[in-house]
Amino acid sequence: MSSKVVLILGAGKNVGKSLIQKFGSDGYKVAFASRTLYPELVSAAAVSVQNDFTNPSTIKSIFEKVRSEVGIPNIVIFNHYTITYAPEENPVLLPISGLENDLAVNVTSFYAAAQEAVAGFDELPKETNKVFIFTGNKLNVQAFPVFLSFGAAKSASAHLINSLSIAYKQKEYKFYYTDERKANGDAIAYDISGDAAAEFYHELVQKKEQGPWLATFVKGIGYVDFHEMKTEFTPLL
């Protein structure tokens, strides 16, 4: 089966739709899993699976279905998220169940996907480009109390991506935490451009070497280094 397979975990009518269109137009076999299966996305993809990512143990079955129908994905994009808002003036009133849910979806399910992605990468030919992208935001470097649990999840996921980009560099498996910004570096908030994300993600997967794991980008420009986080590896003594 083809090794030009992209699996998009979380696909709605903005970034997910643009990713399906962009990679599909480049000859990829597109598979996606999403909480809601929009008919226009299902018709544009080779494989679609309903999943809300609240149960990390179900992630393996997504990869198994994709593998059996179109092959092992060499590009995996974790684009799903959930938010439980905290009271801005007293964020510790956020129920523990809200924190647990946000971590399960945004961290543990992502980690389960990374495990499955790496297992698949190990089986693909050495010359095949292998990339894992996590759709992030600025919450790994800037706190907003109302996003208490969401920010905790994004920070944990950023740490995981950074660690994986270091651990698998020798195998040439590439890992990115992407974050669309305004030109001045401010958070893009809710004004996310699906087309800009798709264009940038497609550029990332063309790279033969690991680029900066913290892949901040601006619509119409591409990657911009806002000098917010150390990216090199310092061995422990």
Side-chain angles (χ1 to χ4, degrees):
M1 290 185 175
S2 171
S3 60
K4 199 170 180 181
V5 177
V6 59
L7 171 57
I8 302 164
L9 299 166
K13 293 186 176 182
N14 188 19
V15 175
K17 179 180 178 180
S18 295
L19 289 171
I20 289 171
Q21 292 173 338
K22 182 67 176 181
F23 282 88
S25 68
D26 191 32
Y28 279 83
K29 292 182 178 179
V30 178
F32 78 93
S34 189
R35 175 170 41 208
T36 302
L37 297 180
Y38 296 104
E40 62 267 39
L41 303 189
V42 172
S43 63
V47 181
S48 56
V49 183
Q50 196 283 324
N51 196 301
D52 64 5
F53 304 93
T54 57
N55 184 352
S57 67
T58 65
I59 302 302
K60 185 178 183 66
S61 65
I62 299 173
F63 280 80
E64 289 174 342
K65 182 176 176 63
V66 173
R67 176 193 288 255
S68 68
E69 296 194 19
V70 292
I72 300 171
N74 65 302
I75 309 297
V76 178
I77 301 170
F78 195 93
N79 185 59
H80 185 76
Y81 70 92
T82 191
I83 304 173
T84 305
Y85 295 98
E88 190 165 9
E89 298 301 321
N90 194 2
V92 296
L93 291 180
L94 174 77
I96 289 176
S97 61
L99 176 63
E100 290 176 334
N101 182 68
D102 282 8
L103 293 178
V105 172
N106 300 315
V107 182
T108 313
S109 284
F110 147 56
Y111 179 68
Q115 285 186 320
E116 295 300 321
V118 169
F121 293 170
D122 285 342
E123 296 184 42
L124 291 171
K126 180 175 173 54
E127 63 272 15
T128 300
N129 210 20
K130 309 168 187 76
V131 184
F132 190 108
I133 297 173
F134 179 91
T135 298
N137 56 33
K138 199 178 180 181
L139 288 174
N140 64 309
V141 294
Q142 183 177 6
F144 295 90
V146 69
F147 296 129
L148 184 71
S149 59
F150 191 42
K154 290 298 185 182
S155 296
S157 297
H159 178 83
L160 288 169
I161 286 289
N162 188 4
S163 297
L164 296 175
S165 72
I166 294 165
Y168 293 100
K169 188 174 183 178
Q170 293 288 329
K171 287 189 172 184
E172 299 182 339
Y173 302 169
K174 293 167 280 292
F175 294 84
Y176 296 100
Y177 177 101
T178 58
D179 173 10
E180 184 183 358
R181 299 286 188 85
K182 295 179 181 178
N184 64 358
D186 285 351
I188 201 68
Y190 297 106
D191 195 26
I192 297 167
S193 170
D195 289 342
E199 188 67 33
F200 183 63
Y201 289 21
H202 189 259
E203 290 176 6
L204 285 179
V205 306
Q206 311 305 313
K207 297 180 182 296
K208 298 301 180 184
E209 296 182 355
Q210 173 76 49
W213 68 269
L214 181 57
T216 43
F217 69 100
V218 174
K219 180 180 179 179
I221 298 175
Y223 173 71
V224 177
D225 183 0
F226 292 104
H227 306 288
E228 292 172 333
M229 190 168 290
K230 186 176 181 180
T231 59
E232 69 272 15
F233 174 51
T234 302
L236 295 174
L237 296 178

